[in-house]
């Protein structure tokens, strides 16, 4: 019975993700990831999109290469701060035209097995700790998690890294329980593959030895004693094997390059500089004893970490609760979790905490060591990401903590076993609530916000960017336009990394009306006129990460407050939840003029 339920739940997840892969337009990062994955296979070079390791994008690119596609590398250039992927991604989409959407679907389908692996691990780990019922509860929470559904249907690395993180942690836990050479080798191989998905997982190289020492300090009497030296040797092989797999994934490109030979751009690694804007490079280790130490990592991996660190150091906008700030907040991710995780899951979390206290009071809970190993990656990753307070934007940065939390939450199912059977409603009600809440807004899972703030229709007042508007709703906009034909002029400001013309949408860029300008004319003397307007939420609030495309299919930089006047208007419809659609009349224009003059 249990295997059938597991298979059924995984089949449901595969179908949900498969449909999402077709339904959603490419998000702002996917064109670049796919182009970079193709480049990784064809050229064996890893400069493109080096701020992320290559495993997930290469997995997605493989069937695309088999199916055939066109490439355009004309925009490629090199340099310490080179980020050509932001021009190569749109060029890749343009070169393949409307077929690029089918290509993207193939790539997305190829990455679905990562999410299925994550679900299986959640089931096995929860079952091992708490029993079959908890295993099924953990798998159900994973399958219907709106955040996992949203990212599991993309070729961006977040969902794949999340699945690999929990899988390698599970194998490491199994090695701790029964240290054998076979388990050490398996855990090492999987850790190496996990490192090829996301930079933050490099923390596991330090966490695993710490957890091993902790495990040794608190042994169980029933455990078979094994030589500490033998365990230490196995752990060393585990870590060295993972390092080998990581380097192998990059073809050992630049591995063991002396630390002093790198040119860094982040203040952390570069050292003091007088002017960040002039592209100064440096190396704070030059002239120290560290400069001659070979770095046992691929060169592009090290450079990618440096570039990503600079991204967090430079001044960038953080959107939080309706405003843009030049800095982040230490509690940003706590707030994001509070409103983007279903309330039913939070109730189950509360039940798990209450049951834990109940166990402690009764002197139960012999598996506390196992739970520390389970929760340690969650705490480490969450604290590490939250400490980067210079810039906050994406809940997906902490997505790898989700499976560890889900597994621990699943212990709440033990209430069914420990108490009378009718108490199962205490678990069933919040579980059904969380599943129904997720499916209610499917297939717009990326835009999920719970009932605490009024659901997804109110989400744009709290968090934007990849939490809501990642360019995924362009297909929905096209469908809406086809269902509502009109002769009125159509204006569009789309937040994405490819021209909407690729999807067959013809438009004009809306006139800019920056704050402080009284007249309804932009710098090109264009006036606001009656017509249809579709504006991505990110552009309404002035998020300047990606400029919109104009009618010629070229990026056009606009004032960051150019489209904030749409906040004074009520949309008549939405494409998904990220693109607001307005039908502006002359009366609306007169109202906007009156409001502006009052200010």
């Amino acid at each position: 019975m249990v295997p059938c339920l597991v298979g059924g739940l995984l089949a449901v997840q595969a179908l949900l993700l498969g449909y999402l892969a077709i339904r959603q337009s490419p998000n702002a990062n996917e064109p670049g990831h796919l182009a970079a994955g193709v480049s990784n296979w064809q050229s064996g070079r890893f400069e493109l999109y080096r701020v992320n390791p290559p495993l997930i994008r290469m997995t997605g690119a493989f069937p695309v290469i088999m199916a055939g596609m066109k490439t355009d590398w004309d925009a490629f250039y090199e340099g310490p701060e080179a980020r050509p992927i932001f021009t190569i991604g749109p060029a890749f989409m343009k070169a393949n035209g409307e077929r690029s959407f089918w290509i993207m679907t193939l790539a997305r389908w190829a990455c679905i097995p990562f999410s299925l692996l994550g679900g299986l691990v959640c089931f096995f780990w929860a079952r091992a700790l708490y029993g079959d019922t908890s295993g099924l509860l953990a798998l159900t929470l994973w399958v219907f998690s709106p955040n996992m559904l949203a990212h599991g249907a993309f070729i961006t690395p977040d969902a794949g890294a999340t699945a690999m993180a929990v899988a390698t942690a599970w194998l490491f836990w199994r090695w701790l329980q029964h240290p054998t050479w076979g388990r050490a080798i398996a855990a090492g191989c999987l850790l190496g593959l996990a490192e090829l998905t996301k930079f933050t997982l490099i923390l596991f190289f330090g966490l695993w030895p710490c957890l091993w020492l902790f495990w040794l300090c608190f042994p169980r009497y029933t455990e078979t004693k094994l030589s500490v030296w033998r365990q230490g040797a196995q752990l060393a092989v585990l870590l060295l094997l993972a390092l080998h797999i990581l380097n192998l994934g990059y073809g050992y490109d630049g591995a063991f390059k002396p630390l002093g030979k790198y040119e860094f751009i982040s203040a952390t690694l570069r050292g003091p500089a007088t002017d960040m804007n002039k592209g100064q490079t440096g190396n704070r280790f030059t002239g120290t004893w560290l400069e001659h130490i070979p770095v046992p990592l691929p060169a592009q991996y090290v450079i990618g970490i440096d570039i990503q660190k600079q991204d967090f150091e430079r001044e960038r906008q953080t959107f939080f609760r309706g405003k843009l700030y030049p800095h982040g907040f230490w509690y940003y991710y706590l707030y994001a979790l509070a409103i983007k995780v279903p309330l039913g899951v939070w109730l189950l979390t509360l039940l798990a905490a209450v049951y834990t206290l109940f166990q402690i009071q009764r002197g139960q809970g012999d598996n506390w060591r196992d739970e520390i190993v389970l929760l340690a990656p969650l705490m480490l990753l969450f604290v590490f990401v939250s400490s980067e307070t210079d810039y906050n934007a994406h809940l997906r940065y902490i997505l790898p903590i989700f499976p560890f939390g889900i597994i621990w939450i699943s212990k709440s199912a033990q209430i069914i076993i420990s108490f009378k059977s009718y108490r199962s409603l205490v678990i069933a009600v919040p579980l059904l609530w969380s599943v129904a809440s997720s499916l209610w807004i499917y297939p717009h899972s990326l835009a999920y916000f719970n009932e605490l703030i009024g659901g997804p229709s109110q989400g744009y007042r709290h968090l934007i960017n990849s939490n809501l508007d990642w360019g995924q709703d362009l297909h929905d906009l096209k469908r809406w336009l086809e269902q509502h034909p009109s002769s009125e002029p159509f204006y569009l400001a789309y937040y994405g990394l490819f021209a909407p013309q690729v999807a067959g949408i013809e438009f004009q860029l809306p006139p800019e009306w920056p704050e402080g300008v009284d007249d309804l004319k932009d710098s090109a003397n264009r006036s606001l006129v009656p017509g249809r307007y579709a504006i991505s939420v990110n552009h309404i609030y002035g998020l300047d990460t990606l400029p919109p495309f104009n009618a010629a299919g070229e990026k056009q930089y606009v004032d960051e407050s150019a489209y904030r006047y749409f906040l004074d208007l009520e949309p008549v419809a939405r494409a998904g939840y990220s693109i607001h659609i307005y039908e502006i009349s002359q009366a609306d224009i007169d109202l906007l003029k009156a409001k502006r003059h009052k200010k």
Side-chain angles (χ1 to χ4, degrees), residues 31-41 45 48-49 57 73 85:
H33 276 291
L34 184 52
V38 171
S39 171
N40 297 154
W41 282 112
R45 298 178 61 175
L48 288 180
Y49 234 123
R57 63 174 178 256
W73 311 117
I85 199 61

Side-chain angles (χ1 to χ4, degrees), residues 355-365:
Y355 186 75
T356 300
L357 293 175
F358 173 81
Q359 285 183 307
I360 294 173
Q361 185 181 15
R362 294 208 167 187
Q364 300 172 348

Side-chain angles (χ1 to χ4, degrees), residues 161-205:
T162 299
M164 294 299 291
V166 72
T168 189
W170 174 59
L171 283 186
F172 177 73
W173 172 70
R174 285 173 56 82
W175 173 79
L176 287 175
Q177 286 189 310
H178 186 53
T180 65
W181 284 106
R183 290 190 175 189
I185 291 172
C189 289
L190 203 57
L191 176 60
L193 291 174
E195 298 300 333
L196 287 167
T197 62
K198 204 171 185 70
F199 288 143
T200 49
L201 300 189
I202 199 172
L203 296 172
F204 287 179
F205 278 111

Side-chain angles (χ1 to χ4, degrees), residues 38-47 250-251 253:
V38 171
S39 171
N40 297 154
W41 282 112
Q42 291 185 341
S43 68
R45 298 178 61 175
F46 298 91
E47 291 91 340
Y250 282 84
D253 178 31

Side-chain angles (χ1 to χ4, degrees), residues 488 513 518-520 527-533 564-573 581-597:
E488 288 186 299
W513 191 19
D518 291 333
D519 192 10
L520 278 179
S527 298
L528 184 65
V529 298
R532 285 183 166 183
Y533 293 76
R564 287 186 69 89
Y565 62 90
F566 284 95
L567 288 172
D568 293 325
L569 299 171
E570 191 67 29
V572 297
I581 301 171
Y582 304 84
E583 291 186 350
I584 296 181
S585 64
Q586 187 58 49
D588 293 322
I589 296 173
D590 293 339
L591 180 62
L592 285 172
K593 286 182 179 180
K595 286 185 176 181
R596 180 55 61 96
H597 287 305

Side-chain angles (χ1 to χ4, degrees), residues 50-53 195 198-200 202 246 250 264-266 268-269 297-313 384:
R50 52 192 170 193
V51 294
N52 291 112
E195 298 300 333
K198 204 171 185 70
F199 288 143
T200 49
I202 199 172
L246 170 58
Y250 282 84
F264 295 122
I265 61 174
S266 68
T268 301
L269 299 175
L297 296 168
Q300 293 303 323
Y301 186 91
V302 176
I303 295 171
I305 291 176
D306 178 50
I307 293 174
Q308 194 169 69
K309 182 60 179 174
Q310 191 218 25
D311 278 347
F312 284 96
E313 292 173 347
F384 176 77

